[in-house]
Amino acid sequence: MPREIRLNAFDMNSVGHIQHGMWTHPRDQSPRYTDIEYWQNLARTAERGLFDAIFLADIIGVYDVYGASPAASIRNAVQVPINDPLLVVPVMAAVTKNIGFGVTSNATYEPPYLFARRLSTLDHLTKGRMGWNIVTGYLDSAARAMGLDRQIEHDDRYDLADEYMEVIYKLLEGSWEDDAVIADRTNRLYADPAKIHAINHVGRRHRVNAIHLSEPSLQRTPVLFQAGVSTRGRAFAAKHAECVFFSTSTKENVRAIARDTRAQAVRNGRNAEDIVIFLSRSFVVGRTRKEAEEKFADYRAYGSVEGALAHFASSVGIDYAKEDLDAPLRHEQTNSMQSILEAVTTRSSEQWTLRKLLGQMGLGSRTMPFVGSAEEVADEMQGWVEETGIDGFNLSRVVTPEGLEDFVDLVVPILQERGVYKTAYREGTLRQKLFGGASGRLQDSHIGASHRHRTVRDDVSDQTSVPVTVL
């Protein structure tokens, strides 16, 4: 049986996302990101295409490495201004029934106690369609905004994120028993205090002694996404993530990273198929190759080289403003996104320069879009899935909304005819839609499941007191 291709619409609550400069195209609607209707139209289109989720990236801070200033980013709307990704989920959920929502939130800066409540709230409002993309940040500007002199070291951020996840699991999985909510109007008993338990976490960074504020949602813990490509990132993903996504240039690299991540998951007591892997790609599709190439040429005229450089410089932590465009790119150890620079240096057999990279970017991006007819795009997607072992794609927007509409109208029917894409949604929560099964909860083999409630009850008459909970 051919593998079913999974799809997310990859977006951001901002004018610019990955393809910089596209907001200047006369048909692009991304400057309407502040309108509720913009997000509702996106959600309806993605659900019409049976996408698994709308995946919303996010950053804290601004891209200010290029030229030692945020000016280039501000001029080109390189992910600034940017609004909160969580707040647009309810407006999209209100006009859809099945599509999931993956929202990015930073484990370095968000207090886990309050963030756990927001996760539960969104999972309630969406009826179990929530996912969370776990990030640790990579911008010094974010650290300064949050009261630090500079960001925490790369691997140390992941160590702290491990502790953060422990707190989240304790709150979401262990604080309320499954039958704690009774809602007995006659006896005026909404929830049984004996079945609601305070967590008592004392760690390196977090001290939390409290009950979780929200009653259990359908999934309790939303589906966990993570972009872990660095060595430490892959270890974190293999331990925590249910969906992994990354962007890299060659099938060899993708195949190796996918195999390693799944192998590490197995060493953590999980199954290889417990992880769904997405590759971030952009597509320019037409009814014919000629139409697609003409569309690409039209789009390309609006791409921003300065915006692309500003994004790339801050992503890797190197100021390229005074660099020779024809000098070979070299790997430097920085405290930013190591995997991106590795992809064009140590992990690449090609010799890359900034000029060559910009030429490949094409649309103000750091990756080359695939341009072709609907049949060619379908071929390309099937080839990547079959040859690398990934499960699907995060489709980043180019010119919105027409890029997503073209894909849904032209490519999805071909994938369905070939038997590699669903023709209807499965029932249940986002986790059930992705993995099947009767329960929307974390799988028993997942580390988060180990924090489910276990109680040591004292033999006392005061049953209104909160029992001691071993978490």
Side-chain angles (χ1 to χ4, degrees), residues 208-220:
V208 181
N209 187 345
I211 68 168
H212 182 42
L213 288 170
S214 302
E215 63 183 86
S217 65
L218 286 174
Q219 295 185 122
R220 284 190 179 248

Side-chain angles (χ1 to χ4, degrees), residues 41-51 96 99 401 404-410 412-413 416 421-423 425:
N41 289 337
L42 168 69
R44 290 189 184 101
T45 301
E47 185 164 75
R48 180 165 62 84
L50 303 179
F51 278 47
T96 56
I99 196 164
L404 182 61
E405 292 170 347
D406 288 344
F407 189 93
V408 168
D409 293 337
L410 300 177
V412 165
Q416 290 172 326
Y421 193 69
K422 57 184 171 293
T423 56
Y425 281 107

Side-chain angles (χ1 to χ4, degrees), residues 130-166:
M130 279 307 298
W132 168 31
N133 175 36
I134 311 156
V135 299
T136 62
Y138 57 92
L139 298 177
D140 280 337
S141 63
R144 295 192 301 272
M146 300 303 293
L148 303 176
D149 293 332
R150 65 185 65 85
Q151 63 180 319
I152 299 166
E153 292 298 315
H154 178 274
D155 286 7
D156 205 19
R157 295 199 299 270
Y158 277 111
D159 293 341
L160 293 174
D162 276 324
E163 182 194 347
Y164 189 96
M165 297 306 299
E166 183 181 348

Side-chain angles (χ1 to χ4, degrees), residues 2-8 52 225 242-246 254-255 258-259 261-262 271-280 381-395 415 420-422 434-435:
R3 297 178 66 182
E4 179 185 314
I5 294 175
R6 320 310 298 256
L7 293 175
N8 297 323
D52 292 290
F225 290 78
E242 296 171 279
C243 298
V244 174
F245 73 98
F246 44 79
V254 170
R255 186 186 305 112
R259 286 177 176 173
T261 301
R262 288 194 166 109
N271 298 314
E273 59 270 21
D274 289 349
I275 294 182
V276 174
I277 297 179
F278 294 93
L279 179 67
S280 293
M381 297 177 80
Q382 282 188 261
W384 276 87
V385 169
E386 292 167 1
E387 296 173 41
T388 67
I390 63 171
D391 298 283
F393 301 87
N394 273 356
L395 302 186
L415 296 175
V420 295
Y421 193 69
K422 57 184 171 293
L434 288 170
F435 298 99

Side-chain angles (χ1 to χ4, degrees), residues 83 142 270 298:
N83 286 346
R270 305 172 67 191
D298 175 36

